[in-house]
Amino acid sequence: MITLTSEEKNLKNFINGEWIEVANKEKVYNPANGEVLAEIPDSDAAAIDMAAESARIAQKEWAGVPAPQRAELLYKVGIKMKEQKERLSQLLTLENGKVIEEARGEVQEGIDMAFYMAGEGRRLFGQTTPSELKDKFAMSQRCPVGVVGIITPWNFPIAIATWKSFPAIVAGNAVIWKPSSETPFMAKALAKIFEEAGLPKGVINVVYGSGATIGQAMINHEAIRVISFTGSNETGRLVATECGRQLKKVSLEMGGKNAVIVMEDADIDLAVEGILWSAFGTSGQRCTACSRVIVHKDVRKELENRLLEAMKDLTIGDGLDPNIKVGPIINQAGLDKVLKYIEIGKEEGANLVTGGKQLTVENYENGFYFEPTLFTDVTIDMRIAQEEIFGPVVSLIEVNDFDEAIIANNKVKYGLSSSIFTQDVNRVFKAQRDLDTGIVYVNAGTTGAEIHLPFGGTKGTGNGHRDSGVQALDVFTEWKAVYVDYSGKLQRAQIDTDA
Ligand SMILES: NC(=O)C1=CN([C@@H]2O[C@H](COP(=O)(O)OP(=O)(O)OC[C@H]3O[C@@H](n4cnc5c(N)ncnc54)[C@H](OP(=O)(O)O)[C@@H]3O)[C@@H](O)[C@H]2O)C=CC1
Ligand SMILES: O=C(O)CCC(=O)C(=O)O
C-alpha cells in the first residue's frame, strides 16, 4: 500500500497555468479496497469557458513557436516522466487497480509517446507536388486546428492522454483535457509534469467533472474545434451526435470484442499464454482484451484443458502486491456489468466451466474482485460473444476450419484487435488481409500495441480516425494547400486547353 501525500490528494483544475479550487467535490475510491482516496472537483460549465478562453489566447502564441522547439518541450516531459516512473506507476495502480507491472508498462507507453512525438516536431511532413503550370510551386502543409478537447477513460488514464495531448501539442494546438472521474491522479501528475517542463500557461488545461456536464460543455464550446474521445460505444455515439450537430471534427476510439483464433497447427503453449494475458491482464478491462477464443475443433479440448490449468496460477488481489497477476474491477458498476453477463451467458446455454463469481479477498473485503471466467459451447451470435463485457471473461467458440474462423471473428459490431495462432505462412497472409480489425496480431495475444503505429479500429470501434502513430497528427491538424506563382503574370489554372 502506498500513502498519498497531501499534495497528491489536493486535486484542483489546472487552467491557464493556475491550480484552481472548485467548491463542489466528488469522492474517488480505491478499487482494491473500496476506501476513499481523495475528493475530485465536480466542475460546472463555467470552468470550460475559462479554460477555453485561456487556451484560445495561449494557442496563438504557441503556434508561433517553431515546431522543433515545441518538440523539445515534449522531450523534457518524457525525461520527467522517466524520472518519476515508479511513483506514477504506483499512483496509477492505486486509482485504477491494474497490477503494478502493467502500470509500469502503461507509464512507459507515455514516455515512449513523448519521445516519438518529439521526433515529429522535426518532421510534421507536408508534400510538394509539381504544378500543372510553368513557374508555379505547389505544396501542402499541416496547420494546428486551434483549441482541442480531449476526453479520456479510466482504463488507461495516462497512456491514452499522451496519445492525444502530445500530438496535439507538438502540432501547435492548445488542449483542454477532461479525464475520467475515476482516475484523477494521473491527470494531475501529467499536468504537473507539463508545468515543470515549462509549457506556457494555457497550452494544457485540465478540467475535472462529470462527462455529462464537462464533456458536453466542451462539445458545445465554439472555441473548441476538435473533440478526441476514447470511451464506451454508448458515450461515443452521444459525443458524435452532438459534434455532428455542430459540424465539429470528432475522433472516436471505442469498445472492442476481440478474438484470438487458434488453428489446429498452432503452438498451443504459446496460444495459451497469449490468451491468458490478453484475456485476464488488466482484469479484462482493455478495449483490446481478448474476450473470444475461436478454436479449431481438432484442438479445442486440448486448448481448453491447458487454459484451465494455466488459469489456476492467476493470483487475484491488490495490484500493488507484485505477486498478484489480476487486480480488481474498477468499481461496483463494472462488477455488476460482469455479473449481468454471467447470467446472460448461462441463460443462453453457454457452459460456465470456471469462475463466474465475485471474489472476496482477505483484508480487501470491500474491493471489486472477480474470478477469471471461462465459458465454452458458445456460439457466435450469443450476447456474451457479441457485446463488450469489460471484465475477465472469455468465451470459447469452436469452428471447423480457417474460413469459418475468419467469419466468426468478423461477425461482431466492433473491429479493434484480432489475433491468429498458426504456423502456416499462407494462412498468416490471408488472415492479416481478411480480419476486419484495425489491429492484427500473429502468434501473439490481442493486446500490447506499440505507440509508433496507428491505434484504433473499424466498424463500431471508431469513426475512421486513429490515436498514436503519425496518423494521430491527422486528428489535430488541418491540411492547407499552398500555390506560389512566380511567373510574374497571372496564369489561369483550370482552363480547358483542348478546345
Ligand atoms: N478503442 C480504444 O482506444 C479504447 C476504448 N476504451 C473503451 O472505453 C470504455 C471504458 O471507459 P469508460 O471511462 O467507462 O467509458 P465512458 O464512455 O463511460 O467514459 C469515457 C469518458 O467520457 C466521459 N463522458 C461520459 N459521458 C459523457 C458525455 N455525455 N459527453 C462527453 N463525455 C462523457 C467520461 O466522463 P466521466 O466518466 O468522468 O463522467 C469519461 O471521461 C470501454 O468501452 C472501452 O472499450 C477504452 C480504452 C481504449
Ligand atoms: O493493449 C493495448 O494494446 C492497449 C490497450 C488500450 O490502450 C486500452 O485498452 O485502452
Side-chain angles (χ1 to χ4, degrees):
M1 187 66 185
I2 65 164
T3 311
L4 285 166
T5 64
S6 51
E7 161 58 19
E8 282 165 340
K9 277 187 179 185
N10 189 7
L11 299 166
K12 296 177 177 172
N13 286 340
F14 184 62
I15 298 176
N16 201 27
E18 310 282 335
W19 295 94
I20 296 177
E21 188 70 69
V22 173
N24 291 337
K25 307 263 189 193
E26 286 287 342
K27 292 186 170 54
V28 189
Y29 298 90
N30 178 352
N33 59 17
E35 283 172 13
V36 174
L37 289 172
E39 291 197 322
I40 173 177
D42 183 18
S43 316
D44 58 26
I48 290 298
D49 291 339
M50 202 195 282
E53 185 55 12
S54 97
R56 201 180 53 75
I57 294 166
Q59 193 268 331
K60 298 258 175 291
E61 290 274 315
W62 183 239
V65 174
Q69 281 180 36
R70 298 197 296 254
E72 238 172 77
L73 204 131
L74 267 193
Y75 187 79
K76 280 191 200 153
V77 167
I79 297 282
K80 288 193 177 294
M81 287 178 76
K82 211 169 156 70
E83 286 164 1
Q84 298 174 33
K85 180 172 171 182
E86 188 52 30
R87 186 64 186 175
L88 289 171
S89 306
Q90 290 180 9
L91 285 173
L92 173 43
T93 294
L94 192 68
E95 67 178 359
N96 164 290
K98 69 176 63 178
V99 298
I100 188 70
E101 64 174 4
E102 289 179 335
R104 290 188 189 114
E106 182 181 340
V107 174
Q108 186 58 45
E109 252 187 78
I111 297 168
D112 295 342
M113 191 66 185
F115 295 146
Y116 174 68
M117 272 299 150
E120 278 310 309
R122 287 197 174 265
R123 288 186 287 265
L124 287 177
F125 292 140
Q127 289 177 310
T128 60
T129 70
S131 167
E132 292 169 359
L133 298 175
K134 266 181 75 176
D135 296 335
K136 191 174 175 187
F137 183 77
M139 65 179 169
S140 64
Q141 65 188 41
R142 288 187 186 275
C143 303
V145 289
V147 178
V148 308
I150 69 176
I151 301 177
T152 53
W154 50 264
N155 73 328
F156 272 73
I158 194 158
I160 292 175
T162 67
W163 295 354
K164 296 179 188 297
S165 64
F166 292 176
I169 284 171
V170 84
N173 300 283
V175 175
I176 300 175
W177 172 22
K178 193 215 97 57
S180 164
S181 309
E182 304 286 349
T183 49
F185 297 120
M186 283 300 98
K188 171 166 185 176
L190 190 57
K192 265 189 89 69
I193 286 174
F194 273 121
E195 186 184 33
E196 288 164 15
L199 190 75
K201 287 175 194 291
V203 176
I204 184 129
N205 303 274
V206 177
V207 179
Y208 294 109
S210 78
T213 304
I214 294 306
Q216 190 61 48
M218 285 165 72
I219 296 164
N220 287 345
H221 204 289
E222 50 84 28
I224 301 178
R225 296 309 314 146
V226 174
I227 296 287
S228 175
F229 168 88
T230 296
S232 63
N233 199 271
E234 296 72 28
T235 312
R237 209 173 277 273
L238 281 177
V239 169
T241 305
E242 286 302 313
C243 287
R245 229 190 287 280
Q246 300 176 40
L247 294 182
K248 191 161 286 192
K249 186 173 176 183
V250 59
S251 147
L252 305 171
E253 293 299 340
M254 301 175 287
K257 192 68 190 173
N258 317 290
V260 166
I261 297 172
V262 183
M263 294 312 299
E264 77 281 16
D265 63 343
D267 175 335
I268 299 291
D269 287 333
L270 199 64
V272 165
E273 192 122 331
I275 295 164
L276 205 63
W277 297 117
S278 48
F280 305 118
T282 329
S283 310
Q285 302 170 107
R286 288 190 184 220
C287 52
T288 50
C290 161
S291 59
R292 299 181 296 152
V293 173
I294 298 168
V295 56
H296 190 282
K297 61 180 180 358
D298 292 354
V299 288
R300 187 195 85 91
K301 199 63 205 163
E302 184 187 358
L303 183 82
E304 181 187 326
N305 290 342
R306 295 234 215 140
L307 189 57
L308 282 170
E309 203 48 42
M311 284 169 70
K312 289 186 187 149
D313 292 337
L314 293 172
T315 44
I316 301 155
D318 182 355
L320 284 167
D321 175 345
N323 298 314
I324 293 297
K325 303 284 183 221
V326 180
I329 299 283
I330 188 72
N331 55 25
Q332 188 63 49
L335 202 61
D336 291 345
K337 185 173 172 193
V338 179
L339 280 164
K340 182 184 88 179
Y341 277 103
I342 299 299
E343 289 313 308
I344 290 173
K346 288 198 264 184
E347 280 161 23
E348 287 179 312
N351 182 19
L352 178 61
V353 186
T354 187
K357 291 194 291 299
Q358 181 175 355
L359 201 69
T360 305
V361 172
E362 203 182 337
N363 299 326
Y364 293 85
E365 283 75 11
N366 295 320
F368 307 108
Y369 298 96
F370 200 83
E371 292 176 334
T373 299
L374 180 67
F375 276 111
T376 59
D377 302 327
V378 177
T379 55
I380 51 180
D381 46 0
M382 285 182 183
R383 285 182 66 191
I384 54 167
Q386 288 289 324
E387 297 171 20
E388 190 181 48
I389 300 174
F390 230 53
V393 181
V394 176
S395 294
L396 221 66
I397 301 169
E398 184 179 305
V399 289
N400 291 308
D401 56 31
F402 174 80
D403 291 340
E404 226 180 84
I406 301 287
I407 291 169
N409 180 84
N410 293 351
K411 217 176 161 203
V412 287
K413 71 174 181 179
Y414 297 107
L416 184 53
S417 183
S418 53
S419 128
I420 182 162
F421 283 84
T422 178
Q423 310 212 33
D424 178 341
V425 71
N426 296 338
R427 279 177 176 167
V428 166
F429 276 85
K430 282 185 189 152
Q432 63 81 28
R433 181 194 62 197
D434 295 341
L435 293 169
D436 68 356
T437 50
I439 305 168
V440 173
Y441 290 94
V442 176
N443 293 330
T446 54
T447 59
E450 301 182 24
I451 55 89
H452 42 264
L453 286 179
F455 184 92
T458 61
K459 302 189 290 186
T461 294
N463 66 338
H465 294 281
R466 293 292 185 268
D467 275 345
S468 206
V470 71
Q471 290 78 2
L473 291 169
D474 292 340
V475 176
F476 302 110
T477 53
E478 296 279 8
W479 281 109
K480 186 174 284 181
V482 179
Y483 303 95
V484 180
D485 191 322
Y486 54 97
S487 68
K489 55 186 187 233
L490 185 71
Q491 303 195 77
R492 293 175 65 197
Q494 295 180 344
I495 295 294
D496 188 351
T497 50
D498 287 346

